[in-house]
Amino acid sequence: MIPAQFDYLAPTTVEEALAALAQHGDEAKILAGGQSLLPVLRMRLNAPEMVIDLGRIPSLRGIRDDGDAVVVGAMTPHTVVGSDLLVAEHAALVSKAIEHLADAQIRHRGTFGGALAHADPAGDLGAPTLALGAQFVVQGPGGTRTVPAEEFFVDLFETAIGEDEILTEVRLPKHTGWGAHYEKFVRVAHQWPIVAVAAAVRVEGGTIAEARIGLTNMGSTPLRARAVEEALAGQPATEDAVRAAAAHAAEGTNPPSDLNGDADYRRHLATVLTRRAVLTAAGAGG
């Protein structure tokens, strides 16, 4: 299908983009990589009067080292993030997740911040950023503010970004030396995950000192498997110990039921995938 007619603006600064957003209000849509918005426009599920393209704002692209964090510009393409050495060294969980994100075309066109702002609970980046304790920097008319990952994902396709704000960058706290793995279950290649688990594990002398676990598609937002994290702390990085801890993976979740599987099936998957993810991450970090 062909989208409904709309006006198009490609500002070159964040300030210009914010001014356009303020001017057009509810009738405007932000375009990042377009991998989610363009299909919606083509199916006429949304018909904005103005599309504001952030693709020509250079300050929104790039990756830099900022002390205790790796900072990723919101408009940085997935493929750039996934191949970046800083990210691989200090936030390996994100690199692992991007390996499984959609296909090569989407990884080249889609953007890191765009995917996170879209907030699809089946998206591959929410759980890793939540597990790592990422911070999301948003800018609006009143200036810049930082939102922790625990508060960023509000509900289904809803984030803490205000209607007059733009996500400018994502701060990934360094987890240097941690093992990491993203375990994703799909029926066909390049599909949204039925369930996926993001695991970052710090191992000391064969013992799991700390673990951070994120769950994909187990609720209306990405979730932390905190019961698993608590059960893993201080345990040996063995099959039996990890299996026992992973049994708690579905606690506090509310997975959907659809054609790919009902809620009980997803709860079972969560325990299996958590065990696999943690064991692999512990091996990488040991």
Side-chain angles (χ1 to χ4, degrees):
M1 295 178 64
I2 299 174
Q5 183 174 339
F6 57 82
D7 291 327
Y8 172 84
L9 181 66
T12 57
T13 67
V14 173
E15 289 73 21
E16 289 177 8
L18 289 172
L21 194 58
Q23 178 182 350
H24 296 280
D26 294 341
E27 298 303 325
K29 280 291 182 183
I30 294 292
L31 174 66
Q35 302 308 292
S36 299
L37 179 61
L38 292 182
V40 168
L41 297 183
R42 292 188 65 181
M43 291 185 287
R44 299 203 176 193
L45 297 176
N46 199 306
E49 292 182 0
M50 171 64 72
V51 171
I52 304 170
D53 185 354
L54 304 183
R56 297 183 185 177
I57 304 178
S59 65
L60 295 181
R61 292 178 180 266
I63 299 168
R64 70 179 191 273
D65 190 327
D66 190 22
D68 60 355
V70 175
V71 183
V72 181
M75 287 294 292
T76 308
H78 300 305
T79 187
V80 174
V81 181
S83 61
D84 186 82
L85 296 180
L86 273 176
V87 176
E89 180 180 0
H90 302 297
L93 186 54
V94 170
S95 299
K96 299 288 186 182
I98 290 177
E99 291 177 6
H100 298 276
L101 192 154
D103 55 31
Q105 178 177 321
I106 288 176
R107 289 194 295 272
H108 277 80
R109 291 295 305 165
T111 65
F112 192 70
L116 289 164
H118 184 55
D120 188 329
D124 288 305
L125 296 180
T129 54
L130 179 64
L132 293 179
Q135 294 183 316
F136 296 80
V137 180
V138 296
Q139 186 172 337
T144 299
R145 63 190 181 97
T146 301
V147 183
E150 292 81 1
E151 300 173 12
F152 182 78
F153 301 104
V154 175
D155 205 343
L156 186 72
F157 300 108
E158 182 182 352
T159 72
I161 303 172
E163 294 182 357
D164 57 352
E165 293 179 318
I166 292 173
L167 176 66
T168 59
E169 62 186 28
V170 181
R171 299 180 59 85
L172 303 172
K174 289 182 178 179
H175 287 73
T176 313
W178 287 50
H181 187 68
Y182 188 68
E183 188 75 20
K184 176 176 177 176
F185 186 82
V186 296
R187 294 177 62 187
V188 295
H190 312 313
Q191 186 186 34
W192 297 105
I194 298 173
V195 175
V197 177
V201 180
R202 181 167 61 87
V203 178
E204 295 181 353
T207 298
I208 297 175
E210 189 176 357
R212 301 177 73 90
I213 315 293
L215 305 176
T216 301
N217 215 11
M218 287 295 290
S220 61
T221 66
L223 299 172
R224 283 279 293 276
R226 295 190 182 277
V228 177
E229 296 174 357
E230 294 172 4
L232 286 171
Q235 296 298 312
T238 62
E239 173 85 26
D240 289 343
V242 172
R243 183 186 298 274
H248 300 283
E251 292 181 10
T253 66
N254 184 27
S257 293
D258 54 31
L259 293 176
N260 287 315
D262 63 17
D264 286 339
Y265 177 59
R266 283 186 161 90
R267 292 187 185 97
H268 169 70
L269 278 178
T271 62
V272 174
L273 301 181
T274 298
R275 173 176 56 83
R276 293 177 183 175
V278 171
L279 282 171
T280 304

